[in-house]
Amino acid sequence: MTFDQQFSKVSERLEEYREEMINLQRELVSRVAVGPDQGGSGEGEKAAFLQKLLTSWGLKVDNYPAPDGRVPGGRPNLVALLPGRRHEKVWVLSHLDVVPPGDETLWDSDPYTLRVDGDRLIGRGTEDDHHGIVASLMAVKALLDLGITPARTVGLVLVADEETGSGYGLDFLLKTQPHLFSPEDLIIVPDAGNPESTLVEVAEKSILWLRLILLGKQSHASRPQLGKNTLRATAHVIVALEALHQEFAAKNPLFSPPESTFEPTQKEANVGNINTIPGRDVFYLDCRVLPEYDPGEIRARVEAIGKATAEKFGVSLSVEVVQELRSAPPTDPDSPVVKALVAAIREVYGREATPQGIGGGTVAAFFRQRGLPAAVWMTVSNMAHQPNEFTLLSNLVGDARVFAHVFLTEA
Ligand SMILES: [Zn+2]
């Protein structure tokens, strides 16, 4: 069979898998995989289900669990291989974990029961990152069902802990099994993209997550002069930190948005009642920093601005680093993995994709830090981490076809 014949057979087959894709999404959504850092019990149930499924297809599946005292059996990291004509590999890495539902009143239905509404598959994790899991698995299944041997050996990697730092996921896997991956391999990470399928992400901003702790003095709210109100100080600190946008104003057109971002996000609960002046407040800052800047510099400025502002209210402030992930060298926009993806997207979606940078948060940085060229791509509805998260079935079929195109290409 020629390449064109193979690809058209695989495409036909993938169109027939719509029901199977819905069913796989349903199974994945029902197996809650929230990491212990976010109050969950980990990815074990979902990983066991997928390991069994892939093994039943005849694939060799290895688990490299990262020990985690909070989770019996550790945090699973699955690697499944479909042998190709060549030893060099094409990898698709997706993550097993999901974020919690957030405010459940914002959901129109149970986050952990798949709901189908036309083309929409709704439920926690359907986009982030079941979309990557389902599309890549179905592409492999189509090859298996049709008895087609891919050009390169296809590797499916399903990691834990992407949402809370990857210390028990890809970072662990790369540290303990470095021989798995080679710079000759093509590495695709379906974990971000745009709705037009045209964003092939090759560079990331540095990620800096900071915890700001304000300590004052608790007192009765009727006698505020006896306390030091940390919530008022917190509000002023948040406003003062807007200065970061002017101090670190560089723009880089590879990225969207083109500048560094500094967002106050989580705020820990303080006092449990209305008539108490809070004496301790903790909030978090999520910074996405252009490669032009050193995250250490940002942290120092946050500390200086924060302290100067808090002092005006008689409140002390300290800053802790929760996560600091320095941006890795970008993947070459002319690398084989980018070219293979761009060609596949052109064939399947009829659009010209372009290599770009994004705000970070994908695991591709761990590959790039080790000189492994990885490209992040999938078609998204921009619903990750949102209430009523959904992905589109039509995009699952399309993205599976893109993966199959890459698997069949002699890149
Ligand atoms: Zn994700």
Side-chain angles (χ1 to χ4, degrees):
M1 265 194 289
T2 65
F3 174 90
D4 287 341
Q5 286 167 331
Q6 284 185 334
F7 181 62
S8 87
K9 273 201 175 308
V10 169
S11 293
E12 257 168 53
R13 184 57 69 109
L14 286 167
E15 291 289 344
E16 291 164 12
Y17 285 166
R18 285 169 181 265
E19 208 54 43
E20 207 163 335
M21 291 181 182
I22 296 172
N23 288 337
L24 183 50
Q25 279 277 12
R26 182 174 291 117
E27 298 286 353
L28 297 176
V29 165
S30 71
R31 288 172 172 81
V32 183
V34 173
D37 286 322
Q38 296 186 315
S41 55
E43 304 85 354
E45 203 192 340
K46 193 186 279 182
F49 168 80
L50 285 165
Q51 184 163 12
K52 207 173 148 198
L53 180 71
L54 291 168
T55 306
S56 77
W57 293 356
L59 296 178
K60 179 181 171 316
V61 189
D62 289 309
N63 186 8
Y64 303 99
D68 182 341
R70 301 164 297 178
V71 178
R75 309 287 292 280
N77 293 290
L78 303 180
V79 176
L81 293 177
L82 170 64
R85 291 195 301 278
R86 286 160 57 195
H87 184 69
E88 291 88 355
K89 296 184 181 66
V90 48
W91 296 99
V92 183
L93 177 135
S94 316
H95 64 87
L96 297 160
D97 55 323
V98 298
V99 295
D103 182 351
E104 293 210 33
T105 64
L106 298 176
W107 285 77
D108 298 331
S109 55
D110 174 26
Y112 296 122
T113 304
L114 186 77
R115 186 159 61 91
V116 182
D117 180 6
D119 199 23
R120 288 187 180 185
L121 310 183
I122 305 154
R124 176 52 87 225
T126 47
E127 175 170 287
D128 183 17
D129 193 24
H130 301 163
H131 185 96
I133 298 174
V134 173
S136 59
L137 263 64
M138 287 295 133
V140 164
K141 185 165 194 291
L143 298 187
L144 284 166
D145 287 352
L146 293 163
I148 294 174
T149 304
R152 288 168 177 257
T153 293
V154 176
L156 298 173
V157 189
L158 302 166
V159 291
D161 195 32
E162 191 276 339
E163 299 291 358
T164 46
S166 291
Y168 300 96
L170 181 61
D171 195 22
F172 170 84
L173 195 62
L174 286 167
K175 278 177 181 150
T176 56
Q177 309 292 332
H179 59 276
L180 283 174
F181 306 98
S182 144
E184 310 305 312
D185 295 346
L186 311 187
I187 302 174
I188 304 171
V189 179
D191 194 24
N194 66 5
E196 295 77 32
S197 318
T198 54
L199 198 167
V200 176
E201 185 269 312
V202 294
E204 293 188 2
K205 293 175 183 171
S206 298
I207 298 179
L208 180 65
W209 288 356
L210 299 174
R211 177 189 290 120
L212 288 87
I213 303 156
L214 291 92
L215 291 177
K217 189 164 178 275
Q218 189 173 310
S219 72
H220 196 285
S222 66
R223 305 182 74 194
Q225 74 278 14
L226 299 181
K228 306 274 186 208
N229 190 330
T230 48
L231 182 58
R232 178 178 288 109
T234 296
H236 282 265
V237 168
I238 289 172
V239 172
L241 288 172
E242 291 296 311
L244 294 168
H245 293 107
Q246 283 81 52
E247 293 189 21
F248 302 94
K251 289 189 195 296
N252 181 334
L254 191 60
F255 292 92
S256 171
E259 63 274 332
S260 303
T261 58
F262 311 96
E263 291 296 307
T265 53
Q266 192 182 355
K267 165 79 184 63
E268 288 183 8
N270 53 19
V271 291
N273 50 311
I274 294 170
N275 58 348
T276 297
I277 299 280
R280 181 177 188 272
D281 270 283
V282 178
F283 76 99
Y284 295 81
L285 202 61
D286 178 319
C287 311
R288 307 293 164 126
V289 182
L290 285 179
E292 284 83 341
Y293 295 118
D294 176 358
E297 231 179 291
I298 311 279
R299 187 194 48 71
R301 282 305 292 153
V302 168
E303 200 160 0
I305 295 169
K307 279 188 168 159
T309 310
E311 234 167 54
K312 294 180 198 161
F313 300 89
V315 164
S316 77
L317 178 142
S318 58
V319 177
E320 293 173 359
V321 176
V322 180
Q323 188 183 197
E324 182 180 325
L325 193 57
R326 287 177 187 245
S327 61
T331 293
D332 181 355
D334 291 321
S335 60
V337 64
V338 175
K339 284 185 166 164
L341 268 173
V342 168
I345 294 161
R346 186 183 300 130
E347 175 72 30
V348 171
Y349 289 107
R351 299 192 194 106
E352 265 328 287
T354 47
Q356 295 173 49
I358 62 164
T362 75
V363 291
F366 291 99
F367 284 121
R368 295 189 187 122
Q369 276 153 4
R370 288 168 174 80
L372 298 163
V376 179
W377 173 85
M378 67 178 182
T379 308
V380 300
S381 307
N382 287 327
M383 289 305 291
H385 300 206
Q386 298 204 40
N388 303 309
E389 176 179 354
F390 67 84
T391 198
L392 299 182
L393 180 58
S394 52
N395 288 337
L396 277 174
V397 176
D399 288 9
R401 290 181 62 210
V402 169
F403 291 138
H405 194 282
V406 174
F407 297 164
L408 294 171
T409 300
E410 290 288 348

